[in-house]
Amino acid sequence: MKVGETQAQAQFGLKMGLIGVALVHPFFWGSNPIGSEAQNPSRKAVVDRLWPFVCPAQPDNDDPWANPVAEGAPSLAQLGCRRVLVCVAEKDILRDRGWLFYEALSRSGWMGMVEIEETEGEDHGFHLNDLKCEKARDMIKHLAEFFNRDMPPLI
């Protein structure tokens, strides 16, 4: 690998880099309940029933694509971008997984900038039901600010 090159760039010959990634209500999951999952077993059961359709190859819910903090998952320190925004919703059963990813990435040794935004009083995907509501507009505005921050000069 060349200096400054990510593992994906070296492995697949990619010639571009990602400046930033926004994870909006990420569908992270896992075998061991955390936070609100443990407090609300009926909501957890709904996700567990859906899981075989989401990731049939990993019935224990710990595939690294859906549980990036699972034992044996690739190191987050090699993440191939310079900044990450994680958006979670207060009432989302997946909220605590978003926070866990944020905390794990913050501690991983990754040299980028990570931030998290939590929308109070809302559930998973709330913004898709009413793009004109104030909280959806606020989240979209934050996403735009995130993507437009520190843009490289146009050549």
Side-chain angles (χ1 to χ4, degrees), residues 82-145:
R82 295 190 294 206
R83 61 180 187 249
V84 172
L85 170 62
V86 181
C87 298
V88 296
E90 178 186 23
K91 294 181 179 180
D92 188 354
I93 188 72
L94 305 170
R95 169 192 173 269
D96 295 321
R97 296 284 173 174
W99 273 100
L100 181 63
F101 177 80
Y102 164 79
E103 292 162 358
L105 184 56
S106 297
R107 293 187 312 265
S108 72
W110 175 61
M111 298 304 292
M113 180 189 75
V114 61
E115 57 187 276
I116 191 160
E117 178 181 316
E118 181 169 337
T119 305
E120 294 180 9
E122 297 294 347
D123 207 336
H124 187 85
F126 75 91
H127 59 291
L128 301 174
N129 296 320
D130 184 3
L131 289 172
K132 295 180 181 180
C133 79
E134 183 177 348
K135 290 179 182 178
R137 287 193 321 260
D138 288 346
M139 187 176 77
I140 292 167
K141 190 182 309 179
H142 192 160
L143 285 164
E145 290 168 356

Side-chain angles (χ1 to χ4, degrees), residues 14-64:
L14 299 174
K15 302 293 184 208
M16 62 177 223
L18 294 175
I19 295 171
V21 173
L23 302 172
V24 179
H25 305 162
F27 203 108
F28 295 145
W29 202 236
S31 296
N32 299 318
I34 64 168
S36 62
E37 299 165 16
Q39 299 166 358
N40 196 337
S42 63
R43 285 194 74 192
K44 181 184 180 322
V46 170
V47 178
D48 284 340
R49 278 194 308 273
L50 289 173
W51 194 254
F53 300 103
V54 174
C55 193
Q58 292 291 334
D60 69 352
N61 303 338
D62 282 325
D63 183 292

